[in-house]
Amino acid sequence: MEMFLFFVFIVKGYIHKGRNLMAMKQWAQAQSALQKALDIDSSNQETMNMLITCRQEINKDPEEVKKRAMADPEVQAIMSDPAMRMILEQMSQNPAAMRNHMSNPDIAKKLYVLQDAGIIQFR
């Protein structure tokens, strides 16, 4: 019972953080917080709806998304890495290759950074 309450408080904390970030129009950071809440409790419909809103806001203006993402040094480093560019090319040609690449924790982390920045989308 205590462990359950612990997870409930963690989920509520991520949702609260996501809601506050949304109010400040920091969509990518809000998306990240809400995704963490859903990773723990995937059945929370309110969180799912908030996450959808964040993704819609992030992707409203493709030029702004690209501009904002490329201003991020972490995104710049990932996009300038030849190995990551090859992986992204493979994934664009063969979406099934994503499963193989996501099994590598280092690559998965970089892909999530690109997703949070709005550069790529997982379906």
Side-chain angles (χ1 to χ4, degrees):
M1 183 68 169
E2 289 178 20
M3 187 60 85
F4 174 74
L5 289 175
F6 176 72
F7 285 118
V8 168
F9 285 123
I10 289 174
V11 170
K12 285 184 178 185
Y14 281 128
I15 293 170
H16 183 71
K17 180 178 181 180
R19 190 175 283 120
N20 288 337
L21 289 165
M22 287 175 72
M24 295 185 295
K25 300 192 183 307
Q26 294 181 1
W27 304 111
Q29 295 90 341
Q31 176 180 301
S32 180
L34 295 168
Q35 185 61 56
K36 289 175 183 174
L38 284 174
D39 289 346
I40 298 168
D41 178 10
S42 61
S43 66
N44 189 318
Q45 190 61 45
E46 178 188 8
T47 306
M48 189 101 49
N49 292 340
M50 289 169 38
L51 184 62
I52 289 168
T53 299
C54 285
R55 289 183 176 157
Q56 290 171 341
E57 288 295 327
I58 286 171
N59 296 317
K60 259 187 180 174
D61 181 4
E63 285 303 313
E64 183 61 32
V65 169
K66 185 176 180 180
K67 180 180 168 186
R68 184 178 55 243
M70 293 313 289
D72 182 338
E74 189 174 16
V75 172
Q76 288 177 359
I78 293 168
M79 294 302 290
S80 64
D81 178 359
M84 281 304 297
R85 293 191 70 79
M86 186 176 76
I87 288 168
L88 292 170
E89 181 67 27
Q90 287 174 351
M91 288 172 46
S92 71
Q93 293 174 358
N94 179 12
M98 185 176 100
R99 183 172 298 132
N100 292 335
H101 295 303
M102 292 299 283
S103 65
N104 180 324
D106 292 331
I107 293 172
K109 181 181 178 218
K110 291 177 182 179
L111 291 173
Y112 283 127
V113 167
L114 295 178
Q115 179 190 27
D116 288 346
I119 299 290
I120 61 173
Q121 295 180 354
F122 300 144
R123 297 177 198 255

